[in-house]
Amino acid sequence: MNQTKYIFVTGGVTSSLGKGIIAASLAKLLQARGYRTTIQKFDPYINVDPGTLNPYEHGECYVTDDGAETDLDLGHYERFLNVPTSQANNVTTGRVYLSVIEKERRGEFLGKTVQVVPHITNEIKERMQLLGKSGDFDIVITEIGGTVGDIESLPYIESVRQLVWELGENNGIVIHLTLVPYLAAAGELKTKPTQHSVKTLMESGIKADILVCRTEHEISDELRQKLALFCNVKREAVIQSIDAATIYEVPNLMLEEGLDIVALNKLNLPEKSTPDLENWNVFLHRLKNPKHVVNIGLVGKYVELQDSYKSILEAFIHAGAANETKVNVISVHSEYLDASNVHEKLKDLDGILVAPGFGGRGIEGKIETVRFARENNIPFFGICLGMQMAVIEYARTILGLSDANSTEMNENTENPVIDLMDEQKTITDKGGTMRLGAWKCDIIPNTLAHKIYGKSSILERHRHRYEFNSSYLDALQNAGLKASGINPDTGLVEIVELENHPFFIGVQYHPEYKSTVASPHPLFVSFVAATVKAKKK
């Protein structure tokens, strides 16, 4: 196949309808038919990346192998497709404008007045085609963030209009995701919001090729016919997206609706074979038919918003299915934990994960949590800040360094067992300056980490500024806290563990970013297995 084909996914009526899940599900079906597929997300906010955004504001910041701080939808793309994304898969308005302004400063526009059309739209179109021009993909799916009609989305919608026209017939199509709400008082589904949304899209010069309708109730044939007629799409291109028990059911639901076939027909591509979803459905079967149940505490600072720890929650789903275990994740706010209530609040848990985070709020609660898990032989897993808290707790309790801390929390601590990395000490800008992306880690033989990974060298994704202070390495190791993973380039400690414990491990990196349906992360799989074992005991 010579030319890359493009699918654009827009949204209407309301945000949070699940454009990312629909895009990922369609990509999964096309991939399962043998097409090389990727997905990218264009976000209308002016931040250059979500790295400086509060998790309460935006949910988690997802990190790619090449160190891009991106939207959490890229996590869905990777989890569904099992293919790594990159810097090119997530573009924000901030990044687009920054690039155009830098070109203007260099004089690349030869003195022309720089305008939204054509300069901003050209930049957007260029980035929309970047992955397609690499030759690595047959089909590129582009999700446009926000909803049609938003002021900030207008340059993207205009860029899609131009690009679909430039690509020519059968080379670019638009899927519009919209809401068909159920009004309880009237006892019926209403199509008017969808009609208005499609009308807004058409006012921008774009005709939707496929309509995906989010709904809580089945859409009747009569309603589908009405939507087709009023929204100017073919009857078979009105696709129902009904609420599912899990996002991992959506590819099968879209297969039943024929979304992939309609898209391929519109792009003038052969259907090839029936989608091979055998492994996917094995995963789903195990997910829906667990043999065990465990309660794992997620102790963090942003637990009010589920999306703050999206990748961790999904990694537990993958690891749970691998162990044929239903993992009930119990959110525990570390800010409200202390020595007086930690036993009461955590005593019914089969395992404890201390989550990543930034800043001093809720830190003492995390330290008390680590101590509780360590002293009561409860399987423990610490990620990033969670690993650092394990080091601090051990230094305080076992080494007797009562003021041991991280210089992130206390700059003047006399025992900075966690400290700012040397290369970070001169950095003042916050955005995109952390240690980011995939870094090597060498694993020490005959350790829990080596048993879990089954290999001596790994690549894991990082997002942090503070690290284990190697000055304290010998003292902590002699006291029993083993450093079982070391970065070969920097000598920094990446993994710590305890030997005489059912399961006690802390990692400086973010394993949750690499867990997918096809490849559940071994750390999560082993942790869930340990909680099942501990519960049986």
Side-chain angles (χ1 to χ4, degrees), residues 436-490:
L436 293 164
W439 290 72
K440 272 189 200 160
C441 174
D442 287 348
I443 299 180
I444 312 298
N446 304 315
T447 57
L448 175 60
H450 195 273
K451 184 181 166 193
I452 289 169
Y453 279 99
K455 48 186 168 183
S456 52
S457 184
I458 56 169
L459 270 175
E460 291 281 5
R461 298 178 191 177
H462 291 250
R463 184 173 183 254
H464 56 96
R465 297 180 198 280
Y466 293 82
E467 284 269 6
F468 185 110
N469 185 344
S470 298
S471 314
Y472 291 86
L473 179 57
D474 289 345
L476 284 162
Q477 292 230 83
N478 292 336
L481 187 68
K482 296 280 175 259
S484 54
I486 309 283
N487 180 306
D489 303 317
T490 61

Side-chain angles (χ1 to χ4, degrees), residues 185-378:
E188 60 182 349
L189 290 164
K190 290 293 183 185
T191 64
K192 198 61 79 180
T194 296
Q195 291 177 48
H196 280 299
S197 179
V198 171
K199 185 182 172 207
T200 306
L201 191 63
M202 290 183 85
E203 283 170 358
S204 301
I206 296 177
K207 177 191 174 299
D209 296 284
I210 301 172
L211 210 53
V212 177
C213 304
R214 284 282 282 126
T215 176
E216 295 172 18
H217 300 269
E218 295 281 340
I219 298 176
S220 66
D221 275 343
E222 187 186 355
L223 269 190
R224 287 184 194 234
Q225 195 61 46
K226 181 179 176 182
L227 282 164
L229 179 65
F230 287 16
C231 297
N232 205 17
V233 297
K234 291 220 165 77
R235 161 67 186 75
E236 67 270 18
V238 178
I239 305 290
Q240 166 184 290
S241 174
I242 201 157
D243 290 358
T246 163
I247 58 171
Y248 299 108
E249 282 180 357
V250 179
N252 281 323
L253 294 174
M254 292 302 101
L255 181 65
E256 284 169 27
E257 286 285 310
L259 175 60
D260 54 330
I261 290 176
V262 177
L264 288 170
N265 288 344
K266 298 247 176 223
L267 292 168
N268 203 16
L269 291 173
E271 289 173 23
K272 290 193 178 181
S273 54
T274 312
D276 177 10
L277 292 173
E278 188 183 344
N279 292 342
W280 188 270
N281 288 327
V282 167
F283 158 78
L284 262 182
H285 177 77
R286 297 176 78 139
L287 181 63
K288 290 178 178 176
N289 301 282
K291 293 178 180 171
H292 321 281
V293 180
V294 292
N295 295 325
I296 294 180
L298 173 63
V299 180
K301 310 198 306 189
Y302 317 113
V303 295
E304 297 94 335
L305 184 70
Q306 289 281 297
D307 277 357
S308 300
Y309 300 114
K310 192 66 184 165
S311 291
I312 290 175
L313 297 177
E314 297 305 318
F316 273 130
I317 291 172
H318 309 151
N323 283 288
E324 296 183 89
T325 299
K326 177 171 171 51
V327 179
N328 291 323
V329 179
I330 315 293
S331 294
V332 182
H333 205 307
S334 61
E335 201 174 354
Y336 309 121
L337 279 176
D338 55 42
S340 69
N341 65 12
V342 68
H343 183 272
E344 188 54 39
K345 291 204 172 182
L346 305 180
K347 69 179 193 306
D348 296 328
L349 298 173
D350 304 308
I352 293 170
L353 184 146
V354 174
F358 295 92
R361 186 172 61 90
I363 287 305
E364 294 302 322
K366 287 190 173 188
I367 293 169
E368 283 299 332
T369 298
V370 177
R371 180 173 179 167
F372 176 79
R374 183 178 61 76
E375 292 180 346
N376 291 282
N377 285 328
I378 295 168

Side-chain angles (χ1 to χ4, degrees), residues 58-104:
H58 195 74
E60 86 172 0
C61 174
Y62 187 79
V63 177
T64 60
D65 279 338
D66 65 349
E69 291 179 294
T70 71
D71 187 81
L72 59 80
D73 274 320
L74 268 73
H76 290 312
Y77 307 163
E78 289 201 12
R79 290 188 278 273
F80 273 60
L81 296 180
N82 202 34
V83 176
T85 54
S86 71
Q87 193 91 42
N89 292 74
N90 191 203
V91 178
T92 66
T93 294
R95 199 174 285 284
V96 170
Y97 272 83
L98 188 64
S99 175
V100 171
I101 289 166
E102 283 170 350
K103 285 177 182 175
E104 184 273 331

